[in-house]
Amino acid sequence: MKNIIIASTSTLHGSGYLDYILDEIAIFFKNANTILFIPYARPSGISHTEYTTKVAEAFAKINKNVKGIHEFENPIEAIQNAEAIFTGGGNTFVLTYQLYKNNLIEALQTAVKNGTPYLGTSAGSNICGLTIKTTNDMPIVYPPSFNALAFVPFNINPHYLDPDTNSTHMGETRETRINEFHHYNTPPVIGLREGSWLQVNENSIILKGTLTARIFEYNKAPYEVETGTELNFLK
Amino acid sequence: MKNIIIASTSTLHGSGYLDYILDEIAIFFKNANTILFIPYARPSGISHTEYTTKVAEAFAKINKNVKGIHEFENPIEAIQNAEAIFTGGGNTFVLTYQLYKNNLIEALQTAVKNGTPYLGTSAGSNICGLTIKTTNDMPIVYPPSFNALAFVPFNINPHYLDPDTNSTHMGETRETRINEFHHYNTPPVIGLREGSWLQVNENSIILKGTLTARIFEYNKAPYEVETGTELNFLK
């Protein structure tokens, strides 16, 4: 019954919030009138209310209402009763901390298993993987675990960036970081470039958008997959 | 009695490992024949032995011996008996995990308090701050805490990068990330550019190298400080 969109980013350079994917979202959320929004990742530290207002403005364009999970007395019940769920980007550690604090990991897993459509962007996509160990974010709070929602049997690296061959900066490239991940962990990692997303159903995980994605498997050279590729072989 | 060098990076683009700072290190470690090397951060996942060999080659140029902490039966005693200590770069989470696993946090704090000279680069510098919450690294392992050695009363952001004004990438800039840190934490953060280091003595913390550094204080606009600036006011 799974029904998930895991998007690399909310926003493409030069366009508005969610603009590039709004038509897809309208189809994806076609049976929902009100979307439960999880604003916990707080990009740039904005408040839950500010973030929810921003999301509501975007969803108004496709005639959807938005309600922030922080508006509910009981967030577990909010998830149980949701017609559809959207978790926005921001800081993955802050998001994960707050999900554990409110005891929402299992509630989200159950809802999604039962067919509640789930949309994630950026940090909201990171948590769809097995762990948050391939986030790009700064660890500004200490979550009780790096284990995530495990909607898919691999890890996500959103905002995937190719090495800048002109750079003189000595910090690690994204590929180096993911290779380091594979010295300590075996699950595959999907490097999702901005504008790409995964469409996940019960037995299918398809790469969408115009770009290729980069796949990192343990003990294998990384490789590219074309848009439209079925990725349910990855585990 | 503190005597510490906290360097942004081990290597500048186009030059060899530690080359840019080797003359400083020769003076800093003038009373030590053998340097205890902590290779736990394992850049690109290389082994402790490989990493120690690389460091020994660099230190041979200034006639210093290097011994890796992994070569000792008892790493706590290795620290207690060290003439001087160097912690190299790599992954800050891997490094922190291994320091806690081997119960070395207090041993390092005691040794440095008692005057053992300590040199850190990159991840080895990150851990000199209050916490590792301003590392740039990927959280590929889960350490038991983000608390670090607290040799200085603020946090370090090594490899500090200015925003790329030409970038179309929607990932957060370094400045945005550090501002997000200050939504959840109050200590100052020093953004140390590659080629900069802090020279720390008992009552003095001086910025060295040719570049300015960027200071982020809670509830203040970030600002630049010139090389040679005394930073012991930061806390």
Side-chain angles (χ1 to χ4, degrees):
Chain A
M1 298 266 284
K2 260 193 253 177
N3 205 13
I4 308 168
I5 288 180
I6 299 173
S8 173
T9 186
S10 62
T11 312
L12 290 182
H13 184 74
S15 77
Y17 185 69
L18 292 177
D19 273 357
Y20 80 100
I21 198 171
L22 211 49
D23 291 346
E24 283 294 327
I25 295 174
I27 299 167
F28 184 65
F29 283 159
K30 65 179 184 297
N31 295 323
N33 291 315
T34 301
I35 315 301
L36 178 70
F37 177 56
I38 301 181
Y40 292 158
R42 298 183 58 194
S44 300
I46 63 171
S47 73
H48 295 157
T49 302
E50 286 173 290
Y51 198 8
T52 303
T53 301
K54 176 182 171 166
V55 168
E57 282 168 11
F59 276 81
K61 297 178 195 168
I62 53 170
N63 300 310
K64 302 290 180 195
N65 299 315
V66 170
K67 202 151 177 194
I69 194 166
H70 62 291
E71 299 170 42
F72 292 84
E73 186 89 16
N74 184 328
I76 294 177
E77 279 178 22
I79 286 171
Q80 287 167 342
N81 298 329
E83 297 172 68
I85 298 168
F86 170 40
T87 305
N91 185 289
T92 304
F93 294 89
V94 174
L95 170 58
T96 303
Y97 176 88
Q98 200 69 16
L99 289 177
Y100 276 100
K101 187 179 167 198
N102 290 331
N103 208 13
L104 298 181
I105 300 289
E106 203 184 309
L108 280 166
Q109 288 170 328
T110 302
V112 167
K113 195 175 151 198
N114 290 341
T116 310
Y118 176 99
L119 167 67
T121 59
S122 192
S125 290
N126 245 316
I127 59 170
C128 296
L130 293 174
T131 70
I132 62 165
K133 290 181 179 176
T134 51
T135 176
N136 311 307
D137 294 340
M138 205 173 246
I140 59 178
V141 300
Y142 184 69
S145 169
F146 286 168
N147 290 336
L149 297 167
F151 292 158
V152 286
F154 46 76
N155 263 31
I156 311 289
N157 180 252
H159 301 282
Y160 183 74
L161 258 189
D162 294 292
D164 174 358
T165 50
N166 293 317
S167 174
T168 59
H169 187 71
M170 301 302 287
E172 294 86 351
T173 66
R174 195 67 62 79
E175 182 157 328
T176 299
R177 293 171 192 276
I178 297 172
N179 286 338
E180 288 182 358
F181 167 83
H182 275 145
H183 276 87
Y184 302 92
N185 307 272
T186 55
V189 181
I190 300 198
L192 272 183
R193 294 187 178 87
E194 293 178 348
S196 294
W197 66 92
L198 301 177
Q199 184 102 38
V200 182
N201 297 110
E202 199 51 35
N203 300 305
S204 170
I205 302 170
I206 294 180
L207 177 65
K208 299 273 191 163
T210 56
L211 304 172
T212 61
R214 195 157 183 85
I215 311 287
F216 302 83
E217 290 189 81
Y218 181 68
N219 265 345
K220 269 174 87 165
Y223 57 95
E224 296 285 320
V225 291
E226 299 293 323
T227 184
T229 301
E230 172 59 72
L231 294 167
N232 63 0
F233 65 91
L234 276 180
K235 61 189 86 180
Chain B
M1 298 267 284
K2 260 194 250 176
N3 204 14
I4 307 168
I5 287 180
I6 300 174
S8 173
T9 185
S10 62
T11 312
L12 290 182
H13 184 74
S15 77
Y17 184 70
L18 293 176
D19 273 357
Y20 79 101
I21 199 172
L22 211 48
D23 290 346
E24 284 293 328
I25 296 175
I27 298 165
F28 184 66
F29 283 160
K30 63 180 184 298
N31 294 324
N33 291 314
T34 300
I35 314 300
L36 178 69
F37 177 56
I38 300 180
Y40 291 158
R42 297 182 58 192
S44 301
I46 61 171
S47 72
H48 295 157
T49 301
E50 285 173 291
Y51 198 7
T52 303
T53 301
K54 175 181 170 167
V55 168
E57 282 168 11
F59 276 80
K61 296 179 196 167
I62 53 169
N63 300 311
K64 302 290 180 194
N65 299 314
V66 169
K67 200 150 178 196
I69 194 168
H70 62 291
E71 300 170 42
F72 291 84
E73 186 88 17
N74 184 328
I76 295 178
E77 280 179 20
I79 287 170
Q80 287 167 342
N81 299 328
E83 297 172 68
I85 299 169
F86 170 40
T87 305
N91 185 289
T92 305
F93 295 89
V94 173
L95 169 58
T96 303
Y97 177 89
Q98 200 70 16
L99 289 178
Y100 276 101
K101 187 178 166 200
N102 290 331
N103 208 14
L104 298 182
I105 301 288
E106 203 184 311
L108 280 166
Q109 288 170 329
T110 303
V112 167
K113 195 174 151 201
N114 290 339
T116 309
Y118 176 98
L119 167 68
T121 61
S122 192
S125 290
N126 246 316
I127 59 170
C128 295
L130 293 174
T131 69
I132 62 165
K133 289 180 179 177
T134 51
T135 176
N136 312 306
D137 294 339
M138 203 171 247
I140 58 178
V141 300
Y142 184 68
S145 169
F146 285 168
N147 291 335
L149 296 167
F151 292 159
V152 287
F154 46 75
N155 263 29
I156 312 290
N157 181 250
H159 300 280
Y160 183 74
L161 258 188
D162 293 290
D164 175 358
T165 50
N166 293 317
S167 175
T168 60
H169 187 71
M170 300 302 287
E172 294 87 350
T173 66
R174 194 67 62 78
E175 182 157 328
T176 299
R177 294 170 191 275
I178 296 172
N179 286 337
E180 288 182 357
F181 167 82
H182 275 145
H183 276 86
Y184 303 92
N185 307 271
T186 55
V189 181
I190 299 197
L192 272 183
R193 295 186 176 87
E194 294 178 349
S196 294
W197 67 93
L198 301 177
Q199 184 104 37
V200 182
N201 296 109
E202 199 52 34
N203 298 307
S204 169
I205 302 170
I206 295 181
L207 176 65
K208 299 275 192 162
T210 57
L211 304 172
T212 61
R214 196 157 183 83
I215 311 288
F216 301 83
E217 289 189 81
Y218 181 67
N219 265 345
K220 270 175 86 165
Y223 58 95
E224 296 284 320
V225 291
E226 299 293 322
T227 184
T229 301
E230 172 59 72
L231 294 167
N232 62 1
F233 65 91
L234 276 180
K235 59 188 87 181

